[in-house]
Amino acid sequence: MTANSRRYHITTFGCQMNKADSERMAGILEGMGFEFTEDPNDANLVLYNTCTIRDNAEQKVYSYLGRQARRKHEQADLTLVVAGCVAQQEGEALLRRVPELDLVMGPQHANRLADLLEQVFAGNQVVATEPIHIMEDITKPRRDSQVSAWVNVIYGCNERCTYCVVPNVRGVEQSRSPEAIRNEIVELGRQGYKEVTLLGQNIDAYGRDLPGVTPEGRHLHTLTDLLRCVHDVPGIERIRFATSHPRYFTDRLIAACAELPKVCEHFHIPFQSGDNHILKAMARGYTHEKYRRIIHHIRQSMPHAGISADAIVGFPGETEAQFQNTLDLVDEIGFDLLNTAAYSPRPGTPAALWEQQLSDEVKADRLQRLNHLVSIKAAERSQRYLGRIEEVLVEEQNPKDATQMMGRTRGNRITFFAGASELKGQIVKVKITEARAFSLTGHLVEAKLPVSV
């Protein structure tokens, strides 16, 4: 492959962790002399960063792969890579299914992409799915945004939720050191980024694998301590974190979020089910009463906080009454956003083998009923914004209306307003005039630059 013909394309499926991994792999590829192309059919290297949380995401990967595999028969220098969770789960079985593949690599190997590709370019078909210690981030990611950046703080997951394949494919928890995380954020501040989101599959577990405890027996490094460690980084004006686990979510963390001005009042805390029997079958390790207490404490400290979550309907054995408990929790709490999914059996998970699997019709019906309630409650929650002046970090132009800019409130609501592109990257004040279920519209009341009328 000649240097001037090196073009790559990455398609990313799934969670924020995958998006962050893709940005790092893009940075590695550009360091190797590749140029990004939007069109996979124009690329010499096509990489699919895959997700195996639900079956439909996995099937979509195979559909995309089939197209590129056929293309490879006409274009011998095409390099095909499958990364991420499907790669980790399937391993060499992927090569049997798609023999045109050059590289199959699990998420723990993202930082090794250059080394693995050198083996491919030497004529080898490579599978990298063995557990390894994740190398410290030394690559410069090719970030999709110039305003907000993902920062991985902990990889892997030690939980054993009975429906979830993530621990099998992402490995055990490995926390990055506070110094390495802070150094990355300092560099982001220097580059002009205004917001960072600290990422972990189970971010509340941060630090428990790092050495050191306090005299009281508390881990020396926790998410709360990390927030304090990075809070004063110059240039960074907003800090977010995800994804939280109710089992480990503490009042100490809530107090720090209320106290630290840069930490946004936005919490993503999956509850999965509102029924204690289902939660126990899921091995989640908390009750719906504990979950409700967490939300109550957040709203006591930060009444206008944005709260989002994940929920699963149709878990094996879920009765109509147990599903109703989920509806009751959603109705009572009123989420700003809820990611919902019908249960999908995943290979290698206990729940996939259980009897009492529910029919697709029952799951679809429950999902539709839950989504209907979510929209109603989100629209109700949105009304609190009407007439308020919100701080909005301007991210980009509205792709559907060139006269508008768009950004997010501290509570993570997408907000549209009339304004010029020079406002990108600024925090501006917007008076909210229209509140929809999942987005807001307003007009600019304060900005450093003049805006077009």
Side-chain angles (χ1 to χ4, degrees):
M1 189 185 297
T2 60
N4 61 5
S5 71
R6 287 190 156 195
R7 292 180 303 280
Y8 78 93
H9 174 86
I10 297 179
T11 298
T12 307
F13 302 87
C15 67
Q16 293 167 328
M17 290 291 285
N18 266 16
K19 290 170 187 168
D21 288 347
S22 288
E23 289 184 347
R24 283 188 296 134
M25 289 189 287
I28 291 170
L29 288 169
E30 297 197 355
M32 296 174 70
F34 282 86
E35 291 181 12
F36 175 72
T37 175
E38 286 280 356
D39 181 3
N41 295 316
D42 184 45
N44 311 89
L45 187 150
V46 177
L47 188 154
Y48 294 110
N49 194 8
T50 59
C51 172
T52 185
I53 287 289
R54 290 192 279 278
D55 185 57
N56 60 344
E58 199 173 313
Q59 295 313 312
K60 193 183 284 188
V61 172
Y62 285 117
S63 168
Y64 281 44
L65 256 182
R67 281 174 239 158
Q68 292 301 323
R70 287 191 293 276
R71 182 178 153 226
K72 188 161 181 174
H73 291 288
E74 282 86 49
Q75 187 177 335
D77 72 339
L78 174 61
T79 301
L80 277 184
V81 182
V82 175
C85 294
V86 172
Q88 184 68 34
Q89 177 180 282
E90 299 296 319
E92 292 195 3
L94 257 174
L95 298 184
R96 289 193 289 275
R97 186 162 176 176
V98 188
E100 294 86 355
L101 276 172
D102 297 287
L103 171 59
V104 175
M105 54 183 285
Q108 296 180 58
H109 295 263
N111 290 356
R112 295 186 58 223
L113 178 60
D115 293 340
L116 296 171
L117 283 174
E118 289 305 328
Q119 295 177 44
V120 168
F121 297 150
N124 299 301
Q125 199 174 34
V126 180
V127 176
T129 54
E130 68 279 7
I132 60 164
H133 179 74
I134 296 170
M135 294 187 302
E136 182 48 64
D137 283 337
I138 51 173
T139 59
K140 290 189 175 174
R142 177 192 184 274
R143 300 189 187 269
D144 287 339
S145 167
Q146 297 170 311
V147 177
S148 302
W150 314 111
V151 176
N152 286 312
V153 303
I154 179 171
Y155 300 99
C157 182
N158 288 0
E159 299 303 302
R160 280 291 180 261
C161 303
T162 55
Y163 56 84
C164 185
V165 76
V166 165
N168 300 345
V169 294
R170 283 199 171 264
V172 297
E173 290 166 0
Q174 296 182 45
S175 299
R176 295 176 65 197
S177 72
E179 297 77 19
I181 294 164
R182 184 182 165 88
N183 288 343
E184 183 176 348
I185 295 174
V186 166
E187 180 59 28
L188 288 167
R190 273 203 292 265
Q191 292 173 15
Y193 286 88
K194 294 295 194 297
E195 177 182 273
V196 295
T197 300
L198 310 180
L199 280 186
Q201 218 73 47
N202 175 11
I203 200 162
D204 301 275
Y206 174 77
R208 62 184 179 188
D209 58 321
L210 296 176
V213 293
T214 66
E216 305 80 40
R218 179 177 64 77
H219 287 289
L220 196 56
H221 304 291
T222 67
L223 176 59
T224 306
D225 300 309
L226 182 63
L227 290 174
R228 295 189 185 281
C229 170
V230 302
H231 188 267
D232 65 344
V233 170
I236 301 299
E237 299 188 43
R238 286 184 173 182
I239 300 170
R240 303 183 188 275
F241 58 89
T243 294
S244 297
H245 193 302
R247 189 193 303 188
Y248 307 106
F249 203 92
T250 65
D251 285 347
R252 184 171 174 263
L253 176 60
I254 294 170
C257 293
E259 174 195 334
L260 297 171
K262 290 185 182 180
V263 178
C264 291
E265 301 82 4
H266 171 239
F267 301 88
H268 184 73
I269 316 174
F271 66 88
Q272 306 302 9
S273 172
D275 182 83
N276 284 346
H277 290 289
I278 296 294
L279 287 171
K280 188 172 182 181
M282 289 177 165
R284 290 289 288 170
Y286 56 86
T287 61
H288 73 80
E289 290 90 350
K290 177 174 182 179
Y291 188 87
R292 284 175 155 95
R293 280 196 301 274
I294 290 169
I295 305 304
H296 177 67
H297 290 166
I298 290 172
R299 287 183 170 158
Q300 271 186 319
S301 298
M302 294 159 276
H304 297 299
I307 296 173
S308 57
D310 300 339
I312 295 170
V313 303
F315 190 74
E318 181 188 65
T319 65
E320 178 62 29
Q322 289 169 331
F323 170 64
Q324 186 61 49
N325 287 337
T326 293
L327 292 178
D328 291 346
L329 186 146
V330 171
D331 188 49
E332 178 188 320
I333 288 176
F335 292 93
D336 292 86
L337 178 69
L338 185 62
N339 301 321
T340 62
Y343 169 74
S344 176
R346 306 313 298 131
T349 60
L353 304 176
W354 295 348
E355 296 176 1
Q356 298 180 290
Q357 301 286 333
L358 303 189
S359 70
D360 289 344
E361 291 75 20
V362 168
K363 289 191 280 193
D365 172 66
R366 290 181 184 173
L367 186 61
Q368 187 269 330
R369 286 155 62 196
L370 177 58
N371 286 340
H372 180 66
L373 178 61
V374 167
S375 296
I376 291 171
K377 300 307 292 187
E380 288 175 6
R381 284 290 292 164
S382 263
Q383 297 311 302
R384 74 190 190 276
Y385 286 108
L386 273 178
R388 284 220 321 248
I389 293 173
E390 287 289 318
E391 289 185 351
V392 175
L393 174 58
V394 186
E395 295 178 5
E396 60 187 340
Q397 193 177 61
N398 180 356
K400 295 180 181 174
D401 183 346
T403 68
Q404 288 187 333
M405 299 300 290
M406 59 186 284
R408 292 176 189 271
T409 66
R410 288 175 63 91
N412 209 39
R413 274 298 163 101
I414 294 175
T415 305
F416 302 96
F417 63 93
S421 58
E422 297 84 60
L423 292 173
K424 184 174 177 178
Q426 280 201 46
I427 291 178
V428 300
K429 292 190 175 175
V430 175
K431 184 166 185 179
I432 305 304
T433 55
E434 189 180 345
R436 294 169 295 280
F438 303 110
S439 64
L440 309 169
T441 299
H443 62 257
L444 208 56
V445 295
E446 188 181 314
K448 293 173 189 169
L449 291 174
V451 297
S452 56
V453 179

